[in-house]
Amino acid sequence: MSSSPTVVRRITRPDPELVKTAAQYGVATLHEANRRRGLMLDIHPVVPGTRMCGPAVTSLNHAGDNLMLHAAVEVCEPGDVLVVATLSPSTHGMFGELLATQCRAQGIAGVVLDAGVRDKRDLQEMSFPVWSRAVSAAGTVKATPGWVNVPVVCGSATVQPGDLVIADDDGAMVIPRSEVAAAVEAARLREEREAANRARLQAGELSLDVNNLRPLLERLGVTYTDGC
Ligand SMILES: O=C([O-])CC(=O)C(=O)O
Ligand SMILES: [Mg+2]
């Protein structure tokens, strides 16, 4: 990261067709498909039932200050996901209904913050896709310059500008841009396997992924008995 405050306007995004394909899969599937990497920890949906999938535009702010969040909104393109981080831990309500209105007008897919949001009821009425660590009425100033489109850490996950961010009711995650194609293909294969398993479960067969649950448990040292 450049040490002096910077706004990087142009970033490289994943292939839009790939983004569209990735959007068909849920976070649980993509997280497994991406070898259980990239999940944002302690980041929760603010508006249940919404989803988003798009390239990350990142914003690095000072705690209690949302100046660079505003700067990042301005460089977002339609379909982007705004990823908001702070230099030190913060639960301030950095984002609310007014910013959501601006984001929607610009076609931004949604927002994830390693910080707080406010105006929760308005955000829910707007069905605006937003994920955060906290909900807090505590407001922010617009005073201290920071960075737009530098690597950030959001929910303990590293996000580079242009990485793919996906979020739904299960949480939010990031896939590095260079790994999106492989993750999408692994997600497709996984859903195929799950469809086959689902059909077997619906037919009343007992075991899940493991074809033979009892031999597996016995190999792991579990004893079956008919009673004490
Ligand atoms: O104004 C702010 O800083 C955050 C907020 O409440 C809004 O966007 O409505
Ligand atoms: Mg507000």
Side-chain angles (χ1 to χ4, degrees), residues 143-173:
T144 325
W147 294 263
V148 171
N149 281 329
V150 295
V152 297
V153 175
C154 186
S156 302
T158 302
V159 182
Q160 309 269 356
D163 284 352
L164 189 66
V165 174
I166 310 101
D168 61 19
D169 282 338
D170 288 346
M173 68 172 292

Side-chain angles (χ1 to χ4, degrees), residues 40-152:
M40 295 177 181
L41 303 178
D42 293 319
I43 301 291
H44 308 288
V46 179
V47 184
T50 59
R51 319 160 45 95
M52 65 179 178
C53 175
V57 164
T58 67
S59 162
L60 184 55
N61 299 263
H62 294 262
D65 191 319
N66 72 355
L67 179 64
M68 300 317 287
L69 194 167
H70 284 268
V73 171
E74 280 192 6
V75 305
C76 280
E77 292 186 358
D80 284 345
V81 167
L82 183 54
V83 178
V84 180
T86 54
L87 280 164
S88 52
S90 163
T91 55
H92 288 85
M94 298 180 69
F95 182 89
E97 155 272 324
L98 277 178
L99 274 161
T101 301
Q102 185 185 354
C103 288
R104 177 152 283 166
Q106 275 185 239
I108 291 171
V111 179
V112 55
L113 304 96
D114 194 332
V117 299
R118 60 185 188 175
D119 308 329
K120 180 174 171 178
R121 184 198 290 232
D122 297 314
L123 293 169
Q124 290 184 334
E125 274 173 10
M126 292 170 72
S127 286
F128 188 84
V130 56
W131 284 253
S132 74
R133 179 175 294 279
V135 175
S136 169
T140 46
V141 296
K142 294 166 199 25
T144 325
W147 294 263
V148 171
N149 281 329
V150 295
V152 297

Side-chain angles (χ1 to χ4, degrees), residues 190 193-194 197 200-201 206-213:
R190 188 178 172 82
R193 278 197 309 277
E194 288 200 346
N197 266 339
R200 286 181 27 232
L201 291 170
L206 285 178
S207 55
L208 270 171
D209 283 355
V210 274
N211 285 328
N212 273 312
L213 188 58

Side-chain angles (χ1 to χ4, degrees), residues 11-26 30 51-56 77-81 107 109-110 162-167 175-185 187:
I11 60 169
T12 307
R13 294 171 172 81
D15 171 12
E17 283 306 311
L18 208 47
V19 176
K20 247 194 245 166
T21 310
Q24 297 169 8
Y25 299 105
L30 283 167
R51 319 160 45 95
M52 65 179 178
C53 175
E77 292 186 358
D80 284 345
V81 167
D163 284 352
L164 189 66
V165 174
I166 310 101
I175 304 175
R177 190 167 54 86
S178 62
E179 295 174 24
V180 175
V184 164
E185 174 58 9

